[in-house]
Amino acid sequence: MARPLVLARERSIELGEGLGALVPGGSLTRGTVLRVAGSGATSVTFTLASAVTAVGEWAAVVELDGTLGALAAAEAGVVLEQFAVVRRVPPARWATVVAALLEGMSFVAAEVPRGVSLGDARRLIARARERETVLVVHEKVARWPAEAALTFRAMGGAWGDLAADGRLTDRALRVEVEGRGVAARVISGELARAV
């Protein structure tokens, strides 16, 4: 059965200024896997999710320890009405939960637990490609055992001044992006407003 022609611009989601300048074409390509790691990886993940929810599509995050906050997501620009968080998924069920989310979401970010097999990783890559979902694997606890189109390495940066209510809200975050093909060389930049 032939599939209808889909133009490249329809297979991508435009990123904003910060990360858009670091990614080839300035956009996320549907059906790809991205890795995020380092101090500030959650800010990078929220920034990517904000691009997806800004165009009215659904994003989900699978976290292992139940610490992600809605306020931080909203401050990064995520539209909370288009954003789901799945908390405390047991490692033995992780691949099943991520696969189910890939069926109905445009963007799935998941903290990688210890013990993810190469076979499970490859099945998730195939499912993301088939469903044209962006899968972001967050290497907070363990490494992703398979390939990824792009790797985002976040390096903590300087915090800004205190807000009126005594909170630190601004952080300059250094990000390096590398990948395969046109993204083979490392590009680095700064996210001016990271939380």
Side-chain angles (χ1 to χ4, degrees):
M1 182 170 140
R3 296 178 86 177
L5 175 66
V6 178
L7 300 174
R9 69 177 175 273
E10 294 171 359
R11 292 199 64 236
S12 63
I13 300 166
E14 293 296 317
L15 291 170
E17 291 177 16
L19 289 179
L22 305 178
V23 174
S27 62
L28 296 175
T29 303
R30 296 176 191 274
T32 59
V33 176
L34 311 173
R35 290 173 52 217
V36 294
S39 175
T42 300
S43 292
V44 172
T45 300
F46 283 159
T47 302
L48 295 168
S50 71
V52 174
T53 61
V55 295
E57 297 191 32
W58 278 87
V61 173
V62 177
E63 64 168 333
L64 301 176
D65 58 8
T67 60
L68 290 181
L71 179 60
E75 287 178 349
V78 175
V79 178
L80 296 181
E81 292 80 8
Q82 301 293 124
F83 185 65
V85 177
V86 181
R87 298 183 186 276
R88 296 185 179 95
V89 174
R93 303 285 303 152
W94 182 85
T96 303
V97 170
V98 173
L101 289 169
L102 289 171
E103 292 291 323
M105 299 285 174
S106 296
F107 176 97
V108 176
E111 292 178 4
V112 180
R114 287 180 180 81
V116 173
S117 71
L118 181 58
D120 281 343
R122 287 182 174 156
R123 282 187 284 280
L124 292 173
I125 291 169
R127 176 79 50 97
R129 209 174 277 138
E130 175 187 316
R131 296 296 182 189
E132 295 189 342
T133 300
V134 176
L135 173 60
V136 176
V137 289
H138 187 153
E139 295 181 334
K140 181 178 177 181
V141 175
R143 288 189 54 89
W144 176 245
E147 72 275 3
L150 294 172
T151 298
F152 295 81
R153 283 188 197 82
M155 293 156 276
W159 287 95
D161 295 328
L162 287 173
D165 62 1
R167 293 182 304 135
L168 289 170
T169 57
D170 294 332
R171 181 183 187 192
L173 185 65
R174 191 97 184 125
V175 180
E176 291 182 351
V177 180
E178 69 177 311
R180 303 183 314 245
V182 293
R185 67 182 178 89
V186 177
I187 300 173
S188 62
E190 192 171 276
L191 281 180
R193 175 145 170 40
V195 289

